[in-house]
Amino acid sequence: MNPFLRRLARLPHLACLVLLAATPAFADEYSTPVATVRVAFDRNGATDVRVTGLADPSTGRAVTADDPVRIASISKLVLAIGVMRLVEAGTLNLDADVSKTLGYPVRNPAFPDTPITLRLLLSHTSSLTDGAGYWQVPFDGHFKDLLDDPKAWDAANAPGAYWRYANAGFPLIAGVMERATGERFDLLMQRLVLAPLGLRACYGWPSCDAATAARAIVLYADGKPQVDDHQGRKPACGITKARDGSCDLSQWRAGTSSNVFGPQGGLRISANDLSKIGRLLLGDGEVDGVRLLTPASVAAMIGPEWSFDGRNGLTREEDDPVRARGGFTCRYGLAVHTLATGLPGCGDDPFGDGIPRVGHSGNAYGLLAGLWLDRKAGTGVVYFATGNDKPGPGTHSSFSAIEETLARGE
């Protein structure tokens, strides 16, 4: 473990604050996390829990494994569980043209005859890009306007032919879910996934209770709070507001601005609760006597839908300044990433043991996170570290050094 974190874990809260101020990682070549949480588990529950640092440096509140954090792109995997529940119910079809459900054409202008499907969106092979953005549509806006921008599409590669990480696909998926069910995305995810598993989690803050919101972990970057710095209170809005600054959820319109709830990265969930998602997948769709998915649906999520052949994908997220080396992603299913593929040019093994694991990573606002499962052994790990504005590079993979350390439990 990093010596700074070892010392920090033994200090009182006030002393932690002093140490953070006196020895700021932000001034070093590489940043030192403000907090780390790691939960190892098997099919029956947690087997090891380790926490260090502060959930909120401004108050000296120590982090725990029950504190919710904006878990970034691991949100995509949890969304996919909701999609598969709707597929099993016959409400959605993975291979149907999403245009029919959304009520407007969704097409790459360079390939206008090729339908865009949920399977393509979930697997990042739809030819969508993040070139036109994905987060900035206000509550009273329409996500369709972004898709009308040519920069939203890869003009060189047809849908289904190329892997290119696209956050933009997930607000679109959430819009399909809303239109198919008539339910607001965050409330729909409560019904489909979070509530049945007894998780105190939410996409955006409106569907979380005040006590859960009060425990939010503040995300730091460049030594400053970036996300969820709401001083122990549930925020009055908790989503992207309308253009006039208002936040009247009664004005919600199905399928128009689902991005405001963060389907691509806005899930707030604790490490302990996220480990239950991992145990659900270890259990082929069942955990603690609750079955959400069939084994076939879990297998479909894992896939793979795509594997790198040296030419058919970018293997890294284009706007990720942390994982700057290629070979980060070399095999992918329906919002599920496979590690340790052994494919040429791939640095996709942060554990360094050659064991294939499935799950997803997260990276935003100084947070680096992972949920990874060894399904053969029946074990898994959830980890995250905050305050990583300048993390050091990994020694044996395309992941950062702190991710390698947390993955292996060092």
Side-chain angles (χ1 to χ4, degrees), residues 26-266:
F26 318 107
D28 298 337
E29 181 182 3
Y30 298 126
S31 55
T32 299
V34 172
T36 68
V37 176
R38 185 183 192 273
V39 177
F41 56 91
D42 60 19
R43 292 187 176 93
N44 297 316
T47 57
D48 184 56
V49 178
R50 306 181 192 182
V51 298
T52 65
L54 304 175
D56 186 351
S58 71
T59 63
R61 176 165 56 91
V63 73
T64 80
D66 290 316
D67 296 335
V69 69
R70 186 187 185 278
I71 204 62
S73 287
I74 299 174
S75 306
K76 295 177 172 71
L77 181 151
V78 180
L79 172 148
I81 295 171
V83 170
M84 296 309 294
R85 290 210 70 194
L86 293 175
V87 169
E88 288 186 7
T91 305
L92 293 178
N93 183 328
L94 288 174
D95 298 306
D97 183 349
V98 298
S99 303
K100 297 177 181 179
T101 303
L102 289 169
Y104 59 84
V106 180
R107 288 290 189 277
N108 183 330
F111 304 94
D113 297 328
T114 305
I116 305 299
T117 68
L118 288 173
R119 188 182 301 277
L120 295 178
L121 293 167
L122 285 164
S123 61
H124 296 286
T125 58
S126 69
S127 75
L128 263 177
T129 80
D130 289 335
Y134 57 89
W135 68 90
Q136 66 269 54
V137 176
F139 182 55
D140 59 343
H142 204 308
F143 200 78
K144 175 184 180 298
D145 295 340
L146 287 185
L147 304 184
D148 292 337
D149 186 335
K151 294 193 297 293
W153 299 96
D154 181 350
N157 295 288
Y162 196 81
W163 193 88
R164 188 170 184 173
Y165 196 88
N167 289 285
F170 285 75
L172 200 59
I173 295 166
V176 172
M177 296 170 75
E178 288 188 339
R179 292 278 293 181
T181 64
E183 297 177 66
R184 207 175 77 195
F185 172 72
D186 61 328
L187 299 179
L188 178 60
M189 287 300 296
Q190 290 287 347
R191 177 174 72 81
L192 293 174
V193 180
L194 305 178
L197 296 181
L199 307 182
R200 299 182 70 176
C202 47
Y203 280 84
W205 286 112
S207 61
C208 260
D209 59 57
T212 299
R215 300 182 63 140
I217 294 172
V218 182
L219 295 186
Y220 269 68
D222 296 320
K224 300 175 183 178
Q226 303 291 321
V227 172
D228 291 341
D229 182 25
H230 40 76
Q231 292 81 51
R233 300 185 299 272
K234 182 175 178 177
C237 183
I239 62 167
T240 305
K241 298 177 180 179
R243 280 166 285 203
D244 63 1
S246 63
C247 190
D248 182 359
L249 292 176
S250 70
Q251 300 301 307
W252 166 78
R253 300 161 297 158
T256 58
S257 57
S258 311
N259 61 285
V260 302
F261 300 105
Q264 80 290 338

